[in-house]
Amino acid sequence: MAGHSKWANIKHKKAAQDAKRGKIFTRLIKEITVAARLGGGDPASNPRLRLAVDKAYEQNMPKDNVERAIKRGSGDLEGVNYEEIRYEGYGIAGAAVLVDCMTDNRVRTVADVRHAFTKYGGNLGTDGSVAFMFKHCGQLLFAPGTNEDKLMEAALEAGAEDVVSNDDGSIEVITAPYEFVGVRAALEKAGFKAELAEVTMKPANESTLAGDEAVKMQKLLDALESIDDVQEVYTTAVIDE
């Protein structure tokens, strides 16, 4: 199965993630707290919490911080009660945008998200307006030159849903959201290290934006990313460097 070119966008995506690293602990603590509140404080029986804890340790978050967040979520410690909200909208050239938030003040959050969309040329949509364009899944991206046959064999044996060959030679492995951790571990054991590995909302179709449209779209995405209550931003737009 062939897909869009991905490799050219990896450096940009990694740079964007590094730029927001100062906020990443805050976002991870919120996710751990909410995951523990919804599914209990034991990562072994709570797949969402296990994902969040794994991600926290990958970012070198101290164990004490992780344990405190779990205790706040499970009610053993007092803390802020966050709720999850997803906003949907349109960016430049009709590109779809999903904005996942965790907040203790819904009024503040929707005002901030609406302001970013309006200021940078987008529109906040209604519930369900674009969510159907995305699939919740695990995604592992491997460099061009990776042995596709061996990777496919290892991935399918590990329980992956799909293996996608992109136009630029990179290869994607797609998993169910809570199978991601197990599939990634099995692939690493088989000698395959992903350049990018995450649980995400993957667009069913993408559109490439270039020139002025790309610049405007990036400004909108950056504005949404900078909002304190925003956890993740997903889009069907591919920014052409």
Side-chain angles (χ1 to χ4, degrees), residues 136-238:
H136 187 210
C137 64
Q139 180 183 33
L140 299 102
L141 185 64
F142 296 87
T146 301
N147 187 313
E148 184 178 353
D149 290 339
K150 287 184 178 178
L151 176 60
M152 182 179 291
E153 183 181 347
L156 296 178
E157 190 175 310
E161 288 185 351
D162 200 4
V163 179
V164 181
S165 301
N166 293 314
D167 299 338
D168 55 10
S170 63
I171 304 168
E172 285 177 83
V173 173
I174 307 300
T175 77
Y178 298 123
E179 300 298 321
F180 167 79
V181 171
V183 172
R184 181 176 63 174
L187 290 177
E188 287 181 355
K189 191 174 180 182
F192 295 102
K193 175 73 173 170
E195 295 295 322
L196 191 71
E198 59 189 355
V199 175
T200 187
M201 295 295 289
K202 179 177 168 60
N205 294 291
E206 295 175 323
S207 55
T208 301
L209 301 185
D212 192 42
E213 286 186 337
V215 172
K216 288 179 178 177
M217 187 69 191
Q218 191 59 59
K219 284 182 178 177
L220 169 58
L221 297 175
D222 289 344
L224 290 167
E225 285 274 9
S226 71
I227 297 169
D228 286 342
D229 297 328
V230 169
Q231 291 287 103
E232 296 288 349
V233 178
Y234 307 102
T235 181
T236 57
V238 175

